[in-house]
Amino acid sequence: MSLIPPPPAGSNALRSRAYNRSLVLRHVRATGASGRAQIARESGLSTQAVSNIIADLVAEGWLVEAGKLSQGRGLPAMQYALDARAGLALGVEVRPEALLVAISDLDGRILFSHRDRLTDAAPATVCEKLRQIKEMAVAETGADRLIGAGVVMPGPFGVTGLSGAASDLPGWAEEDALARLAQALDLPVIIENDASAAAMAEMVSGHGQGLGSFACLYFGTGIGLGVIAERSLLRGARGNAGEIGQIAVPHRGQFVALEQIASRFALRDRLAATGEEAETSAALEALFLARNPVLMDWLEDAGQALSHAVLTVENLYDPDTVIAGGALPEPLLKALLARVALSDRSVANRPGRAHPRLICGTCGPLTATQGAAALIINHAFTPRMAAEI
């Protein structure tokens, strides 16, 4: 099944050449390899227009010849495939305590990854570190065809009534983040919240492949929600859709914000109150395997809180499935999901389901970082960015 939805039909007269280039690239990427006639037939372009575009894309290194295919009568048709190294994407995830960077090719394969601990997540510090890491990455991989950078960070973006949460990045709400990051990286930049980027990663290379609608619960510092509807991100008016960490859930006779109970920082604070430090996933996993009593109590509380959150997500968005992933080690995440009670009073409780209601994601700790790179790759094959390719 194609990972990319069918493109709109092209036009030889009314559409720009850049738009039509993107249609050809999208089709070749979706099919793996195609001939001129097939591309023309499915894009709505003339065979001559497709031939001209393919000639340009081959000359520029985007497409390569992939052998000939016999299709009945006539001469075998030359097939063209995407060169996955023709363009590379930089993915960046900024957390209050860490900076994660990856470079992926056009097929989503990770060519470079790096994690740097942050003691200061202010814009000046983050931008300088990113500049240095980019230089290191280019030197190590020879990544000289970076087409853009996707940068993801915890929401909400801008000054809102939710400002001041424990997952906030200091100094970024008042910053022109897009301009600052583009200058530091010397690349076109797309900014997205971390949960939406995680959903994008699952759509491109995880359990979301082939699904039209699904939700992604993302454990970063707090908890976010990315929603894919008809294979597109649901962003909201200001890119702040999915702040599920702020919904109220019952806890010990009162209502509190979900992320005050079920997030990584809530677990960290509980452990710190008993003198236990667990700043890394490896440390959390070790405590889980040792059945640390504080962590085990957190699992029970977090499971109950997430039960209410998942029910809310199902009844609001009617997703094919809810995928959970992020900065929790896999054994701990699986144990948490096993404690989530799926309600019968849900639109997701129906016969003939094709997918489980709640599953563990496949992309791991780099989910949002991979998603950041996927944002660039996805945009590179759409008309709105065709002129930048």
Side-chain angles (χ1 to χ4, degrees), residues 56-67:
D56 289 344
L57 292 173
V58 169
E60 295 167 18
W62 287 95
L63 297 182
V64 294
E65 293 183 350

Side-chain angles (χ1 to χ4, degrees), residues 29 62 84 87-94 100-114 130 137 143 145-153 185 187-205 218 233 363 365-382 384-385:
R29 181 172 183 246
W62 287 95
L88 304 176
L90 185 70
V92 175
E93 181 181 3
V94 185
L100 291 84
V101 180
I103 290 178
S104 75
D105 66 15
L106 296 176
D107 285 336
R109 289 187 291 262
I110 300 299
L111 308 179
F112 169 91
S113 64
H114 179 82
L130 281 179
R145 294 203 66 173
L146 288 169
I147 59 175
V151 180
V152 302
M153 54 187 67
L185 293 169
L187 288 170
V189 170
I190 298 171
I191 296 178
E192 191 55 80
N193 71 62
D194 49 9
S196 291
M200 179 65 72
E202 290 290 345
M203 183 175 75
V204 171
S205 57
Y218 181 71
L233 278 173
C363 296
L366 282 175
T367 301
T369 315
Q370 289 179 245
L375 289 167
I376 293 297
I377 296 169
N378 186 61
H379 277 66
F381 291 92
T382 60
R384 59 179 170 274
M385 280 190 67

Side-chain angles (χ1 to χ4, degrees), residues 16-376:
S16 69
R17 187 170 182 80
Y19 184 96
N20 289 335
R21 277 170 56 103
S22 77
L23 293 183
V24 172
L25 284 169
R26 280 169 63 94
H27 178 86
V28 172
R29 181 172 183 246
T31 58
S34 279
R36 292 183 178 90
Q38 181 184 0
I39 296 171
R41 186 167 55 251
E42 298 191 16
S43 69
L45 299 169
S46 71
T47 303
Q48 183 59 54
V50 169
S51 296
N52 293 339
I53 292 170
I54 285 177
D56 289 344
L57 292 173
V58 169
E60 295 167 18
W62 287 95
L63 297 182
V64 294
E65 293 183 350
K68 293 184 178 181
L69 179 66
S70 179
Q71 296 177 314
R73 296 179 180 179
L75 296 174
M78 177 61 70
Q79 304 294 290
Y80 295 91
L82 189 69
D83 182 350
R85 291 294 296 263
L88 304 176
L90 185 70
V92 175
E93 181 181 3
V94 185
R95 300 178 187 167
E97 79 291 346
L99 188 62
L100 291 84
V101 180
I103 290 178
S104 75
D105 66 15
L106 296 176
D107 285 336
R109 289 187 291 262
I110 300 299
L111 308 179
F112 169 91
S113 64
H114 179 82
R115 187 183 192 279
D116 213 6
R117 185 169 182 180
L118 287 177
T119 55
D120 174 16
T125 303
V126 168
C127 286
E128 177 57 24
K129 278 185 174 287
L130 281 179
R131 186 187 63 77
Q132 295 172 5
I133 294 171
K134 179 197 169 190
E135 290 181 358
M136 175 178 66
V138 170
E140 286 188 17
T141 64
D144 58 352
R145 294 203 66 173
L146 288 169
I147 59 175
V151 180
V152 302
M153 54 187 67
F157 297 138
V159 179
T160 74
L162 301 182
S163 298
S167 56
D168 280 359
L169 293 175
W172 286 90
E174 300 82 11
E175 184 76 21
D176 184 350
L178 195 65
R180 188 75 177 263
L181 289 163
Q183 181 180 27
L185 293 169
D186 191 27
L187 288 170
V189 170
I190 298 171
I191 296 178
E192 191 55 80
N193 71 62
D194 49 9
S196 291
M200 179 65 72
E202 290 290 345
M203 183 175 75
V204 171
S205 57
H207 283 314
Q209 295 182 58
L211 297 183
S213 298
F214 67 91
C216 183
L217 275 171
Y218 181 71
F219 292 85
T221 302
I223 300 177
L225 180 72
V227 176
I228 299 293
E230 297 180 356
R231 298 198 62 78
S232 297
L233 278 173
L234 181 65
R235 303 192 69 254
R238 301 289 183 274
N240 288 325
E243 283 297 322
I244 197 172
Q246 299 303 315
I247 69 167
V249 296
H251 177 65
R252 298 179 184 178
Q254 58 181 336
F255 283 87
V256 297
L258 173 67
E259 67 180 26
Q260 293 296 327
I261 306 300
S263 66
R264 182 169 169 156
F265 78 74
L267 173 56
R268 179 198 63 199
D269 290 350
R270 281 202 194 190
L271 291 168
T274 64
E276 195 78 63
E277 289 191 9
E279 295 294 334
T280 66
S281 291
L284 282 177
E285 185 169 351
L287 289 174
F288 170 68
L289 294 177
R291 295 302 186 261
N292 176 277
V294 174
L295 187 148
M296 301 310 290
D297 285 345
W298 173 82
L299 272 176
E300 297 302 326
D301 288 343
Q304 292 178 27
L306 280 174
S307 299
H308 292 276
V310 170
L311 175 61
T312 299
V313 170
E314 288 180 335
N315 284 335
L316 279 177
Y317 298 112
D318 188 22
D320 286 319
T321 189
V322 177
I323 303 172
L328 292 178
E330 185 176 350
L332 180 56
L333 178 61
K334 287 184 174 179
L336 175 57
L337 299 189
R339 287 164 170 78
V340 173
L342 298 174
S343 173
D344 292 340
R345 299 288 295 171
S346 169
V347 297
N349 181 27
R350 62 181 182 271
R353 288 190 58 87
H355 307 280
R357 287 168 62 180
L358 178 64
I359 55 177
C360 187
T362 59
C363 296
L366 282 175
T367 301
T369 315
Q370 289 179 245
L375 289 167
I376 293 297

